[in-house]
Amino acid sequence: MRSLLFVPGDSEKKLAKSLGAGADVLILDLEDSVAPDAKVRAREIVRDFLRSLSRDEPRPRFYVRVNALRSGLIDDDLDAVLAGTPEGIMLPKSGGGADVIALGAKLAPREAIAGLPDGSTKIIPIATETAASIFNMGTYRGASPRCEALTWGAEDLAAEIAAEANRYPDGRYIEPYRLARSLCLFAAVASGVTPIDTVFTNYKDTEGLRKDSLAARRDGFLGKMAIHPDQVPVVNDVFTPSKETIARAQEILDAFAKAGKGTVGFKGVMLDMLHVKYAEHVIARAKAAKLI
Ligand code: COA
Ligand code: MG
């Protein structure tokens, strides 16, 4: 799961276009990119779009971003889209592990009605969109096997705080949002799910996107959300392990296998079990991307 492209759910044109974008996941949005008076129509469009997809051809995975748990809209959203069998639901303004459990409880009967296996619909919470949620980041751990990734948001958080900005003029996040980003990373890793970086909203700034993506990869994020098809190739490129990275990981694993010890000298550097874990991680990602 390297690239996750948002597509406004009320736009049949963008939905059709999104299929060719090359994203690993398409997030069909019923929340903030859809105006209040278009919500009902967007549900129908997303449901019909999901139903129209061929299950036989290779295709991206589909998530639907529903409206928040306390929006009064989420039950109708789920009723409409579960029949289209999306792989998962993205939960905005998630307040913590209890909200994932609450969403799971809403999904279970709808899966039964749609004839889907219990628990088959996954969840990705957007974990930092409210001030209160920041204090619950540790509660995702063990909350639900449905949770397959965690991501974060800086825009809604800034709006709730009524902050003047969330980035410095040079593009770096200011401290409150760096904290949210770091907590998302730690919470995802502690929960054993994939950490996904938030969107880069200036979609014409390709270099800025590459820098932001490289910084996310450096820090341990394994993918990034996107808002425009042009962003997808950059995100895929950054989050696909390079040939050199894969070769080095394999060499490290071979060196440990040969030595049969917990610590080895590798090209003049001491490596221990931490590096084995990292190398195994790279190889698993390379296999997932069908590179080896
Ligand atoms: N998914 C699919 N197609 C998209 C797209 C998206 N997210 N964003 C743009 N496109 C399409 C456009 O429809 C256009 O198609 P065309 O060439 O057939 O006319 C093409 O890509 C080029 O788009 P462009 O003209 O550069 O942008 P735009 O002005 O049409 O749209 C945005 C700009 C920001 C409104 C649009 O990218 C968008 O809606 N992004 C998603 C927003 C969203 O979901 N936000 C919620 C999460 S933060
Ligand atoms: Mg939002």
Side-chain angles (χ1 to χ4, degrees):
M1 206 193 285
R2 300 163 302 175
S3 53
L4 301 85
L5 174 64
F6 274 109
V7 193
D10 60 347
S11 170
E12 281 161 315
K13 180 173 166 241
K14 284 181 184 158
L15 287 168
K17 183 136 188 145
S18 69
L19 289 171
D24 292 340
V25 177
L26 294 176
I27 309 167
L28 315 182
D29 189 25
L30 298 177
E31 202 221 10
D32 282 351
S33 71
V34 177
D37 62 359
K39 296 279 186 194
V40 173
R41 181 79 188 110
R43 270 181 206 131
E44 291 165 3
I45 292 174
V46 166
R47 181 200 57 207
D48 293 347
F49 177 73
L50 284 168
R51 281 189 174 153
S52 73
L53 298 166
S54 157
R55 302 278 144 178
D56 305 326
E57 288 158 33
R59 62 177 186 88
R61 298 177 73 220
F62 290 91
Y63 262 73
V64 177
R65 181 167 74 169
V66 294
N67 289 281
L69 270 177
R70 280 161 280 279
S71 64
L73 298 169
I74 188 169
D75 290 306
D76 288 344
D77 289 346
L78 294 172
D79 282 341
V81 301
L82 256 263
T85 327
E87 271 85 1
I89 300 295
M90 178 167 274
L91 181 64
K93 300 172 182 70
S94 178
D99 280 0
V100 176
I101 295 168
L103 174 56
K106 288 180 181 295
L107 288 170
R110 291 171 170 94
E111 286 171 338
I113 291 165
L116 302 170
D118 184 39
S120 55
T121 314
K122 300 297 176 195
I123 297 174
I124 302 180
I126 311 182
T128 67
E129 291 193 307
T130 67
S133 68
I134 298 295
F135 298 96
N136 290 333
M137 296 299 285
T139 62
Y140 287 104
R141 188 175 178 177
S144 168
R146 289 183 188 271
C147 188
E148 72 162 350
L150 266 192
T151 189
W152 69 286
E155 308 305 325
D156 285 86
L157 186 57
E160 193 195 354
I161 296 168
E164 287 173 14
N166 54 18
R167 289 179 185 258
Y168 293 111
D170 69 2
R172 283 176 305 126
Y173 279 111
I174 60 173
E175 177 53 29
Y177 308 92
R178 291 202 69 78
L179 174 69
R181 176 181 182 276
S182 300
L183 286 172
C184 172
L185 182 62
F186 294 134
V189 174
S191 309
V193 303
T194 306
I196 301 290
D197 194 25
T198 194
V199 295
F200 185 77
T201 49
N202 190 352
Y203 60 89
K204 293 202 193 262
D205 178 5
T206 308
E207 266 325 292
L209 171 68
R210 182 171 289 278
K211 266 175 76 179
D212 208 45
S213 305
L214 284 168
R217 184 184 82 187
R218 175 200 64 204
D219 295 347
F221 286 96
L222 296 177
K224 188 170 177 66
M225 299 193 291
I227 54 163
H228 191 285
D230 289 353
Q231 294 186 317
V232 172
V234 178
V235 172
N236 281 348
D237 183 41
V238 169
F239 288 98
T240 304
S242 69
K243 275 199 193 92
E244 295 73 31
T245 305
I246 299 167
R248 186 179 147 80
Q250 194 55 59
E251 271 186 78
I252 291 173
L253 293 181
D254 293 347
F256 274 92
K258 197 169 155 212
K261 292 188 291 195
T263 314
V264 299
F266 181 79
K267 300 184 180 174
V269 183
M270 187 276 292
L271 300 184
D272 60 17
M273 295 318 286
L274 265 182
H275 301 91
V276 173
K277 208 171 152 199
Y278 175 75
E280 284 172 348
H281 210 238
V282 170
I283 297 297
R285 280 165 58 213
K287 282 186 179 156
K290 299 195 171 51
L291 297 171
I292 49 175

